[in-house]
């Protein structure tokens, strides 16, 4: 990793360690997701961008092609919308902005859908993907991601609840209008800002973030 252009950005406020409202700290790093852990098949794996790309074409990358891209380090906490926060994760991977530069969206794109194995999805505002702390992570605390935490690629969006960061990321779809993802369709908030407790869809009217989030 030494030859990569690494930038450390620490989004976790240090002293005192601040947690979003209604969250409790958990030690270590629990595993939580819906469904089974997918098996990685290198010969079949790729990362795909589709939808409203600038040139109208889809694009795919193999894992080898992704791992030669410039990468960054981000230290951040992980807030699950069920109320647990695990702290001080050191992520390493491809910045969201680097990904956007490689695969520019059409000017009308406002949102993206992040797709994982088995059809898990999370919708994000385009600005969530280009936020300075967002990355497509390949490593955690200096090691490759483990299978249960998302190997080989995981989207990390530290400023939103954990459900907005798919493990086992396989595609990014550019959207010209918002569309709800897996948990967003199942009662979770469309934006998912932990600092204003956007856990549940029923609070969307009274408690919405910036942007056109209300369907
Ligand atoms: N593909 C996929 N990614 C997922 C999930 C999932 O069910 N499937 N769950 C999300 C939720 S709700 C959380 S809190 C985090 C948990 O990450 P961890 O298991 O690494 O702690 O993964 C997120 N990414
Ligand atoms: Mo979660």
């Amino acid at each position: 990793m030494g030859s990569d252009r690494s930038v450390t950005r620490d989004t976790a406020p240090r002293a005192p360690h601040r947690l979003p409202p209604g969250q409790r700290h958990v030690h270590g790093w629990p595993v939580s997701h819906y469904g089974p852990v997918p098996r990685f098949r290198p010969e079949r794996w790729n990362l795909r961008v589709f939808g409203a790309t600038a040139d109208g074409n889809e694009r795919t990358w193999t894992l080898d092609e992704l791992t030669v891209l410039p990468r960054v380090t981000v230290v951040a906490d992980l807030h699950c919308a069920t109320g647990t926060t695990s702290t001080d994760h050191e992520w390493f991977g491809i910045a969201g902005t680097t990904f956007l530069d490689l695969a520019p969206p059409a000017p009308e794109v406002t949102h993206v859908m992040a797709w994982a194995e088995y059809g898990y999805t999370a919708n994000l505002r385009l600005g969530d993907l280009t936020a300075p702390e967002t990355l497509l992570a390949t490593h955690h605390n200096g090691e490759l991601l483990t299978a249960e935490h998302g190997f080989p690629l995981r989207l990390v969006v530290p400023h939103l609840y954990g459900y907005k960061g798919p493990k086992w990321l396989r595609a990014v779809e550019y959207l010209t209008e918002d569309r709800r993802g897996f948990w967003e369709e199942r009662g979770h908030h469309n934006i998912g800002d932990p600092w204003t407790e956007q856990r549940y869809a029923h609070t969307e009217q009274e408690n919405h973030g910036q942007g056109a989030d209300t369907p």
Side-chain angles (χ1 to χ4, degrees), residues 123-146:
N123 58 314
L124 297 159
R125 297 162 296 184
L126 185 59
D128 295 320
L129 189 61
T130 58
E133 67 278 10
T134 296
L135 78 164
L136 287 66
T138 54
H139 292 68
H140 177 271
N141 290 0
E143 312 264 355
L144 282 173
L145 286 170
T146 58

Side-chain angles (χ1 to χ4, degrees), residues 23 25 29 42 46 67 81 103 150 177:
Q23 293 295 111
H25 176 253
W29 192 13
N46 62 14
T67 54
E177 58 184 50

